[in-house]
Amino acid sequence: MNQPSRHHHAHPAPPASSPAAEPLWIAPLEPMLVRLESRRSSPLRGLVEPGPTPAELERMLHLAARVPDHGRLVPWRFIVVEGESRRMLGERLDALYARQNPELPAAKADMWTLYMLRAPLTVVLVSRPDPAAKVPEWNQVLSAGAAGMALTVAASAMGFATQWLLKWPGRDPQATALLGVKPGEKVAGFIHLGRPSVESADRARPALDEVVSAWSPDQPSTSNETP
Ligand SMILES: Cc1cc2nc3c(=O)[nH]c(=O)nc-3n(C[C@H](O)[C@H](O)[C@H](O)COP(=O)(O)O)c2cc1C
């Protein structure tokens, strides 16, 4: 073997004599692609029972936890709200909301309880970047977003639908404290989960020519700085 020098930090070029590596054959999974092509959110009011069994939920959360994570910091966590906990959390949120909004009309007095009771189960996705880590905080926040998407995709693969929302209970510091969210943590979303009861219309998806470009060496730099 041609050992790279101990002091050489750049990737060494492969020895000229080494043959090109053969690709590992990974079979394409057409049903998975078809499911991904039709995946979309279901409106919260259309999410119904039955929610996931404990075994299904555990499998889903395992899949959600399989995301890129720079530095293996695990900069996210999940809070599951299901069953009677939905009502108990909703009532605490309503009480807080009433204190914050003394003029709240009576018709809205139980709005957060109704909100929490809509879906059979809600996963609160919490971003918890470590500001002292060498890994940039941005990378850590993106990993939390990836965990939310992985959960959404896992739910879809298992026949559930989700809707990812981030309303007052996930934004207000006093409300997130009721959830058990600690200082330095931030709610990335309430991922509401259940069976879809209606075939919801898909929304328009971005045309690829609006979001994809090929980098070329001729393109002008967008930087104002002169090198
Ligand atoms: C972080 C985050 C927060 C969101 N919060 C809201 C929200 O509060 N209200 C809302 O109507 N949609 C919200 N959305 C959008 C919904 O999830 C929407 O249903 C979704 O964009 C539909 O896309 P899909 O069909 O590809 O899943 C949010 C999306 C994300 C990623």
Side-chain angles (χ1 to χ4, degrees):
M1 271 293 282
N2 208 352
Q3 288 293 333
S5 144
R6 188 186 298 262
H7 305 290
H8 187 95
H9 290 289
H11 291 289
S17 58
S18 85
E22 288 293 320
L24 294 173
W25 180 249
I26 300 170
L29 290 178
E30 192 57 29
M32 187 172 175
L33 295 171
V34 170
R35 180 60 56 87
L36 290 174
E37 278 163 352
S38 64
R39 187 216 60 81
R40 55 182 179 266
S41 292
S42 269
L44 177 57
R45 54 191 76 245
L47 293 179
V48 296
E49 300 281 352
T53 64
E56 283 172 327
L57 178 63
E58 191 180 330
R59 194 173 185 191
M60 218 183 278
L61 293 171
H62 268 298
L63 293 171
R66 292 186 65 90
V67 288
D69 170 5
H70 188 179
R72 300 186 204 177
L73 297 171
V74 198
W76 34 261
R77 64 187 183 96
F78 309 111
I79 302 168
V80 176
V81 188
E82 62 179 326
E84 259 315 285
S85 295
R86 296 173 304 162
R87 181 185 302 281
M88 294 187 286
L89 173 61
E91 287 172 353
R92 289 182 189 195
L93 291 171
D94 278 324
L96 173 64
Y97 200 68
R99 282 204 299 281
Q100 289 188 0
N101 300 276
E103 310 285 295
L104 192 71
K108 292 195 168 178
D110 60 354
M111 61 186 276
W112 296 114
T113 304
L114 296 177
Y115 172 71
M116 289 310 304
L117 286 173
R118 279 221 171 94
L121 185 145
T122 294
V123 176
V124 181
L125 172 63
V126 180
S127 163
R128 50 168 191 183
D130 176 356
K134 283 198 182 123
V135 173
E137 197 162 327
W138 175 233
N139 298 23
Q140 301 184 52
V141 171
L142 289 171
S143 181
M149 193 61 209
L151 180 70
T152 295
V153 167
S156 173
M158 294 171 77
F160 295 94
T162 55
Q163 192 173 31
W164 181 334
L165 300 176
L166 189 40
K167 297 175 180 291
W168 171 84
R171 287 196 303 261
D172 181 87
Q174 290 178 296
T176 59
L178 292 177
L179 286 162
V181 171
K182 295 172 229 152
E185 295 185 330
K186 201 165 179 178
V187 173
F190 278 46
I191 302 183
H192 305 289
L193 205 151
R195 303 279 173 182
S197 63
V198 284
E199 181 84 24
S200 57
D202 202 1
R203 64 189 171 88
R205 302 290 162 170
L208 285 194
D209 60 5
E210 287 167 15
V211 292
V212 182
S213 59
W215 182 84
S216 120
D218 307 327
Q219 73 182 11
S221 167
T222 48
S223 168
N224 293 327
E225 289 167 39
T226 37

